[in-house]
Amino acid sequence: MKRLAVIAAAILTATALSIAPAAAHATLQSSNPAENSVLDAAPDEVTLTFNQTVSQNFATVTVIGSDGMDWAASDPVVDGGTVTVDLDGLGAGGEYTIGYRVVSADGHPITGSIPFQVTPSSPTSAAPAAPATTETTPTAVEETDSGFPLWTIGAVVAVVGAAGVLFALRKRSN
C-alpha cells in the first residue's frame, strides 16, 4: 500500500510540474516602428514580433493619432509570432500609439501600447531619423495578463492529492 501511495504522489507531482511550462505567455520582442522612435516619414505598415506564436483569432491592432483617429487600414495578419497591419497613411505628423491585443498559444490575452512620433523633415533640417526597428524591453511594453495562472491548478492538485494519500496511509495504519 505504501508503494502505491509513493507512486500516486509521484504521478501527482509530475502532473503539477508539467502544467507549469504551458503557462508561459507570449511577450513582445520588437516592433516596427520601435517604441518612442521619431520618424521623418509615415510608415506603410506596423509590425509586431512576439517570442512565440499568437492566434489569428481575436488579434487586434490600432494606430491612434493625436487627432484620435485610427489609421489602421487592414485587419491584422498573423504569421506565427509576427503581426502586421497596413496603415492608411498617417496624419501630417504628431504622436501615434500602437495598441495591440493578441492571444498567446496558451490562451491568455496579451495587451500593450507602443508610442512613436512622426515629424516630417523640413527642407532646412536634415536630422537623422531613429532606426525603424529596435528591441523593446519588457518594462517598456505594457502587458496585461487577465487569465488564470495554470500553475495554481497544478499546485492545488498536488496538495489535495498528497493530503489524500497521507489520509489513506494514516487510516490504513490505524
Side-chain angles (χ1 to χ4, degrees):
M1 186 64 170
K2 286 186 180 183
R3 278 189 185 161
L4 183 60
V6 170
I7 292 171
I11 291 172
L12 287 171
T13 301
T15 302
L17 292 176
S18 68
I19 291 174
H25 308 310
T27 57
L28 183 68
Q29 296 296 301
S30 64
S31 67
N32 184 9
E35 182 172 23
N36 296 319
S37 61
V38 179
L39 309 174
D40 61 0
D44 294 329
E45 66 182 16
V46 166
T47 303
L48 306 172
T49 304
F50 295 87
N51 68 332
Q52 60 180 250
T53 300
V54 295
S55 174
Q56 173 71 45
N57 298 333
F58 311 114
T60 305
V61 177
T62 59
V63 181
I64 307 296
S66 54
D67 57 1
M69 289 185 59
D70 184 358
W71 293 89
S74 69
D75 289 334
V77 175
V78 177
D79 182 15
T82 304
V83 180
T84 305
V85 66
D86 293 328
L87 298 179
D88 187 19
L90 287 181
E95 303 284 331
Y96 293 88
T97 302
I98 302 165
Y100 65 89
R101 182 180 189 278
V102 297
V103 177
S104 292
D106 66 355
H108 286 82
I110 306 299
T111 61
S113 62
I114 304 161
F116 69 97
Q117 186 176 16
V118 175
T119 309
S121 57
S122 64
T124 59
S125 70
T133 304
T134 59
E135 297 296 313
T136 58
T137 59
T139 57
V141 177
E142 298 172 23
E143 291 188 13
T144 305
D145 177 13
S146 60
F148 186 76
L150 293 177
W151 67 267
T152 56
I153 295 170
V156 168
V157 167
V159 169
V160 170
V165 168
L166 290 175
F167 181 76
L169 287 174
R170 185 172 180 206
K171 194 102 167 140
R172 233 353 157 164
S173 63
N174 286 338

